[in-house]
Structure formats: C-alpha cells, structure tokens
Amino acid sequence: YKVFEVMEETGVAPDVVTYNSLIDGLCKVMKVDEALKLFEEMGEKGCLPDVVTFNCLVGGFCRDKRIDEALELLQLMYERQCAPDAVTYTTLMDGLCKVGNVDEAQNLYQRMVKQNCMPTVVTYSVLIHGLCKESRMDEAYHIKKDMLTKGCRPDVVTYNAFINGLCKTGEVDKASQLLSEMFRRGRRPNVVSYNTLLDGLCKEHKVDDAKKLFKEMTVSGCAPDVITYNTLISGLCKSLRLTEAQNLLRDMEKQGIPVDVVTNNTIIDGLCKVNRVDEASELLRTMRGRNSPDVITYNTLIAGLCTHNKLQEAHVLLKEMLEKGYAPDSITYSSLVKGLCMATQDKDVHQLLKEMLEENSIPE
RNA sequence: UAUAGCUUUUCCUAACA
C-alpha cells in the first residue's frame, strides 16, 4: 500500500499488473472486501480488470468459502466478455471441492469443456483430490484415465492426491506401491509424497515402517521438513513412545529445522497422553514469539487436564484463553463438558460449572 | 512482472464385546 501511495503521489500510474499484485496480496490475507474495493477503483480509473484480476478475486472468495460470490464473479466475466480461463475454472472447482461439493465441481468441469477451455493437469488434480477426500477412489481413477486419454500426464501432485486418498481409505499398501510407481514413471516423489505416506503409516499404527520410510527418503535425496518431523512425532506420541519423539526433536535441532506451533502442540498432546500434564503446561509457557500458542494449543492442554480430572486448572486455562483474546471453539467446550461429565469430585464440579456460566465463559 | 492443485497437531465419531 505504501508503494502504491507513493506511486499515486508521484504520478506513476499503476497498471493492471500493479493492481493485480495488490488485489492478490489482499485476497491471500483474507481481505477480499478490500480487494473488491480496489477492483472497483480500477474501473473508475480506466484500468480494465483482466482475467488475472478476476482469478485473484475468485480465489479470494473461494478461500473465504464464499463460493456464491465467486460464482457471481464468473457470471460477471461472461457479461463483460472477459473469457474465463483454466485458472478461473480450476480455482472455482477447488473451492467447490473444499466446501464438500465435488459434484458441483464436476458440473463446472463439464461447463468448462463446453466453453472450449482446455483443462490442465491442475484441473484434473483438483477433481482427483476432491474425490479422494470423499473416499470416492473409483471416480478418481476414472478421472485419471480421462486425463491420460487427453494426453495429460499426472504429475507429482496428482500422485500425492491419490496417495492421500489411499491412506485415508486404509489402503496404505497400495499407497506405498504408488510411491514406487512414481519412480518408475519418472515422477520423483517429493517431500509431500513422503509426508503423506508417513502419516498414513502412522495412522495405521505402523510407526516402525514409518521410521523405515523416513530413512529411505533421506537416502533417496529427499530432505525432510518440519511437517515430516511433526508427522513422525505425532505417530510416536500416539503410540506413547515419547522418548523417541523427543529424540526427533533433538534431531530437528541438529538438522537446523526449527520447530513450529504444530510441533509443540503435538508434544503437548503426547505429554498429556502419558500423564505428564505438568511438563505439557511448562511447554506452553515457553511458547512465544513466532511459536505463540494457538487455539489448538489451549484445546490440547485443556483436554489433557480434563482427562486427568484437573478441572480447576482447565478452568484457569480457559480464562487465560479468553483474557489473551483467543476464541474458544466447539472443541474447547466439548472437552470441558466431557471433563465435567466424567468428573469425580461432584461438589467442585457444580461450583465450577456455576462459575463458568456466571463468567459467561461458556455458552448456554 | 501478477492468478489455480497435494501432506502434519486438539474434542467427538459406527458395529461388536
């Protein structure tokens, strides 16, 4: 904005690329309405929005789950004779998939084809990803066939979507096979491919296989990232193998990979699970700056405290959350409700519940 | 020079027992 103002002051006319960059930036930080203002301003200043302008806004609305408004923009594009391109349609299809409307995404795909707009590998991957998320693997395979007949080869992301789908439907073996297939087809798995499969293995309680795969990935020259570590740490924590998880923390430090909020949240959860709630609380206290706690941090610890019948402390944390401006969500409350239901010291529970209601710290 | 897709953390989650 500052540069933009200077440009205006010094009489350097912003062009469509200037506007587009700014609009996209605003959309990416969820300020779509502000972006929309700029969009209108462009029109007034005689700078015609182009397809990229529209695409950025469509993406902004989709990210904000405001699909109807995104579709209105598509309509506006037709009216203004600004032909939507593959990015427009793909962005919308992705938005539809992410709100759980894969069927509508497929309808839009048909429309795109009717308008003679060529789908790209991204278009297909979006559909495949949407279908895989819904465990509609057969339909996903069908799309893959379609794309191949049209001379469009699946890329790493396409494969990753399948790996994820297979893991989520409990077919980790098939997912592993797909990883091998990637090598054969000249599509080297990337760090996401490995992370996805690692998570699949962990969720099937095959943590040792995951550890093996972790070694394999480094051997094949794929560098682990913070998500790789988080995934493994989570798997180990779920299996109550805290020591190994903490070893991985050391490993991260050695590799120069900084931990993030997720890492800490995962460890907090792990500590709670093995009844080391005090250490978990201590960890929360160390979280500041770039690694400030988030709602999940609090939820995790509150759930841990509730599970171990430390309702007073959970209550204190709830108050802390509110004081610090974090908005408790349905998970916060269900943890607390569960804790209150299972509580063993009945008098205290009633007192606590009364307090919480009086503070308005829990909704009716 | 600007726009689209994949992975990790918190509560609950079937059936049977």
Side-chain angles (χ1 to χ4, degrees), chain A residues 302 306 311 330-343 349 353 356 362-364:
Chain A
I302 286 175
C306 286
L311 292 179
S330 60
I331 296 185
T332 323
Y333 294 119
S334 28
S335 305
L336 284 163
V337 168
K338 188 183 150 205
L340 289 164
C341 289
M342 302 197 321
V349 171
L353 187 57
M356 287 183 185
I362 65 175
E364 297 288 333

Side-chain angles (χ1 to χ4, degrees), chain A residues 27 29 36-37 100 127 144 159 166 177 186 188 216-217 235 315 340:
Chain A
C27 286
V29 295
L36 214 50
K37 289 223 176 73
L127 279 180
K144 187 180 168 193
Y159 275 105
L166 288 168
Q177 287 166 20
R188 299 208 98 220
E216 270 174 47
M217 83 182 270
H315 182 207
L340 289 164

Side-chain angles (χ1 to χ4, degrees), chain A residues 115 178 180 250 261 287 291 348 361 364:
Chain A
Q115 307 271 346
L178 207 52
S180 317
R250 305 228 151 281
V261 197
M287 292 175 70
N291 274 340
D348 291 354
S361 60
E364 297 288 333

Side-chain angles (χ1 to χ4, degrees), chain A residues 315 318-319 322 328 333 336 355-363:
Chain A
H315 182 207
L318 175 65
K319 282 194 281 196
L322 293 165
Y333 294 119
L336 284 163
E355 272 180 51
M356 287 183 185
L357 286 169
E358 276 164 8
E359 294 159 352
N360 285 323
S361 60
I362 65 175

Side-chain angles (χ1 to χ4, degrees), chain A residues 121 147-148 150-156 158-159 185-187:
Chain A
V121 61
M147 68 188 285
L148 287 170
K150 298 206 172 145
C152 184
R153 289 190 61 205
D155 67 8
V156 182
T158 322
Y159 275 105
R185 300 216 189 269
R187 290 281 185 261

Side-chain angles (χ1 to χ4, degrees), chain A residues 164-177:
Chain A
N164 193 34
L166 288 168
C167 287
K168 298 273 140 73
T169 52
E171 302 170 276
V172 188
D173 292 340
K174 279 195 194 162
S176 300
Q177 287 166 20

Side-chain angles (χ1 to χ4, degrees), chain A residues 35-311:
Chain A
L36 214 50
K37 289 223 176 73
L38 271 181
F39 169 74
E40 277 152 20
E41 181 187 311
M42 293 177 73
E44 289 157 15
K45 299 222 168 142
C47 178
L48 270 192
D50 63 4
V51 62
V52 175
T53 321
F54 278 102
N55 290 347
C56 295
L57 288 165
V58 167
F61 279 128
C62 286
R63 231 169 270 128
D64 213 7
K65 316 256 179 246
R66 292 156 67 175
I67 310 295
D68 291 340
E69 286 160 280
L71 286 167
E72 275 170 30
L73 277 178
L74 179 65
Q75 199 52 45
L76 189 59
M77 291 177 82
Y78 291 136
E79 283 163 19
R80 293 221 191 150
Q81 324 268 355
C82 175
D85 63 7
V87 176
T88 322
Y89 287 109
T90 307
T91 307
L92 266 164
M93 286 165 56
D94 186 49
L96 285 163
C97 287
K98 296 227 160 96
V99 297
N101 203 344
V102 190
D103 295 323
E104 205 47 52
Q106 278 177 308
N107 289 339
L108 194 57
Y109 170 77
Q110 299 299 342
R111 184 147 131 213
M112 164 179 195
V113 174
K114 271 203 200 97
Q115 307 271 346
N116 287 319
C117 181
M118 279 291 282
T120 70
V121 61
V122 179
T123 315
Y124 292 111
S125 302
V126 163
L127 279 180
I128 288 173
H129 178 245
L131 290 165
C132 284
K133 280 264 161 186
E134 310 244 293
S135 303
R136 291 158 66 171
M137 298 307 292
D138 291 338
E139 290 166 85
Y141 286 125
H142 188 84
I143 304 274
K144 187 180 168 193
K145 273 203 184 119
D146 262 7
M147 68 188 285
L148 287 170
T149 19
K150 298 206 172 145
C152 184
R153 289 190 61 205
D155 67 8
V156 182
V157 176
T158 322
Y159 275 105
N160 291 349
F162 272 110
I163 292 180
N164 193 34
L166 288 168
C167 287
K168 298 273 140 73
T169 52
E171 302 170 276
V172 188
D173 292 340
K174 279 195 194 162
S176 300
Q177 287 166 20
L178 207 52
L179 194 82
S180 317
E181 184 183 320
M182 289 175 78
F183 283 106
R184 287 198 301 275
R185 300 216 189 269
R187 290 281 185 261
R188 299 208 98 220
N190 63 14
V191 64
V192 176
S193 322
Y194 282 104
N195 291 349
T196 309
L197 187 52
L198 282 170
D199 186 55
L201 288 166
C202 288
K203 297 263 151 74
E204 298 259 285
H205 306 112
K206 297 178 173 169
V207 192
D208 292 307
D209 289 341
K211 278 185 140 184
K212 231 182 272 170
L213 183 63
F214 176 64
K215 292 215 177 77
E216 270 174 47
M217 83 182 270
T218 40
V219 168
S220 70
C222 181
D225 62 9
V226 61
I227 297 186
T228 316
Y229 279 100
N230 290 347
T231 305
L232 276 173
I233 290 174
S234 164
L236 289 164
C237 285
K238 292 250 150 48
S239 311
L240 311 182
R241 291 158 65 166
L242 255 282
T243 317
E244 288 163 85
Q246 283 169 326
N247 287 340
L248 281 181
L249 284 179
R250 305 228 151 281
D251 210 32
M252 288 176 81
E253 206 181 342
K254 247 185 261 162
Q255 306 288 330
I257 300 172
V259 301
D260 64 8
V261 197
V262 177
T263 321
N264 284 324
N265 292 350
T266 309
I267 295 283
I268 288 179
D269 186 48
L271 287 168
C272 288
K273 285 206 160 45
V274 295
N275 204 357
R276 288 159 61 179
V277 190
D278 294 338
E279 285 167 77
S281 302
E282 273 170 40
L283 184 48
L284 167 66
R285 297 301 150 217
T286 69
M287 292 175 70
R288 48 174 43 95
R290 220 201 75 69
N291 274 340
S292 296
D294 58 13
V295 175
I296 297 185
T297 317
Y298 282 100
N299 285 351
T300 308
L301 198 46
I302 286 175
L305 289 165
C306 286
T307 304
H308 295 99
N309 207 18
K310 301 190 169 178
L311 292 179

